[in-house]
Amino acid sequence: MGASEIRELLKLLDQPDVISFAGGIPDPALFPADAFAAALTGALSGDDQGAALQYSVSEGYRPLRDWLVTRMASLGIDCEADNILITSGSQQALDYLGKLLLSPGDTALVGWPTYLGALQAFNAYEPRYDRLTPLGNRTPQDYRETALTNGGAVKFAYTSADFANPTGETLPESARKKVLDLAEELDIAVIEDAAYQSLRYDGDEVPPLLALDIARNGSIGATRTIYCGSFSKTLAPGLRVGWVCAAKPVITKLVLMKQAADLHSATLNQMAIHRVASDGFEAQLGRIRTTYRARRDAMLASLERHMPEGVRWTRPDGGMFIWVTLPEHLDGAALLAESLETERVAFVPGKAFFADGSGHNTIRLSFSRADEETIEEGIARLGRVVGGG
């Protein structure tokens, strides 16, 4: 296990002269603070007061789970409250799933690059990693034999299908179906990390993998996809409320892990999330989508103006990230050191997102925290560093 480069870079946010495109974190100005103040006051008064401050069930606050049943149904996922476990952020879910599914030497199929936090969660259980390439030409047998050569078996495919961290890219429906095909051939689980699923700014909604799995197999009880959701990017990350939606046998195992790890997620936090989500989730989504869309557009326009020839980047339909590929001779980590010293601009070197440590000439930019004027200034500075490299 190693330190997170991103968590270390977040410390730069305390330095007022640094323009940071590093942390993929929400803008606190967009938090529904007044709504949370009212929700917490309500939870700590009247009949709810005792429950808010008391131990609770490991599965999670029932009214919140019932609300999530309705929310999942809007995504094409027909489930019951018993298909949902509340976790301390979706990061806890990834840790539990690594513990549940992996033994040392087993193989996890992940994107190249993939979410650094997922690698950190899984690394504790000593897996090997192989590339998940849904639209590639590798056969299930090739994956199986490679895993066997490495001393284990393929246990799951992990993907963030919508506006992935770090690339911002979205898997088309055809690729999602290929992931399910591969998982069926290998008889493995699919972990769907949906942390950014609600942050779409352009284009048509694509069904979640769990919805496609249900359509294919008839019910959530017959599926192999494990959906990990979070309120961190939509309402507030500080309350640490996420959830897992999956077939009941999976939830039962995860509940046992929850009981052993922390008994249950904070009841007061769950009650506050439930009240705020029930009263204005869609309005909150509209607010943050409008702001982040404008910031994404500003960053894409600034990249066009200021990046030298030979630099490429993604054009995400949502989320918080733009993935930049630099000329081969440039190194993201060295560029960060130079950028901080000469221009006071921070970003995340892309190498951290590759399970094999490759991707030296890539960087991740986040547009969620900076306003349009700051984005223009920051990208102009960064363009000078890249152009001089």
Side-chain angles (χ1 to χ4, degrees), residues 67-251:
W67 183 89
L68 283 167
V69 168
T70 302
R71 175 65 184 169
M72 299 304 290
S74 73
L75 301 176
I77 297 169
D78 185 15
C79 66
E80 301 173 359
D82 288 342
N83 295 114
I84 293 174
L85 167 69
I86 303 299
T87 57
S88 296
S90 60
Q91 187 67 25
Q92 184 179 65
L94 297 179
D95 175 49
Y96 286 178
L97 290 169
K99 182 183 294 185
L100 176 65
L101 297 170
L102 292 170
S103 295
D106 281 337
T107 291
L109 306 183
V110 299
W112 231 259
T114 195
Y115 171 47
L116 172 58
L119 296 178
Q120 289 185 300
F122 303 149
N123 281 348
Y125 308 106
E126 303 179 46
R128 303 295 185 99
Y129 295 104
D130 202 349
R131 298 187 186 211
L132 177 63
T133 53
L135 297 179
N137 57 8
R138 288 186 64 184
T139 65
Q141 184 63 21
D142 183 43
Y143 279 113
R144 190 179 292 115
E145 291 176 355
T146 301
L148 184 63
T149 300
N150 287 328
V154 182
K155 289 299 181 67
F156 62 78
Y158 165 83
T159 183
S160 182
D162 295 287
F163 329 121
N165 181 359
T167 64
E169 294 177 326
T170 296
L171 282 183
E173 185 171 339
S174 59
R176 299 178 193 217
K177 290 179 177 178
K178 288 287 189 181
V179 171
L180 292 175
D181 291 342
L182 177 64
E184 289 176 6
E185 289 281 350
L186 294 174
D187 193 20
I188 59 172
V190 175
I191 300 175
E192 180 175 15
D193 188 341
Y196 302 92
Q197 189 271 332
S198 295
L199 300 184
R200 174 174 288 280
Y201 317 134
D202 297 318
D204 296 327
E205 297 280 350
V206 185
L209 278 94
L210 181 52
L212 295 171
D213 203 346
I214 291 171
R216 179 178 293 197
N217 292 293
S219 72
I220 192 170
T223 61
R224 63 181 66 249
T225 302
I226 304 167
Y227 180 106
C228 301
S230 175
F231 290 103
S232 292
K233 305 304 187 292
T234 53
L235 295 183
L239 297 182
R240 309 307 302 129
V241 178
W243 73 94
V244 179
C245 183
K248 290 178 185 179
V250 175
I251 297 299

Side-chain angles (χ1 to χ4, degrees), residues 46-60:
D47 295 338
D48 287 335
Q49 184 181 57
L53 300 176
Q54 184 58 278
Y55 286 116
S56 186
V57 297
S58 298
E59 289 83 350

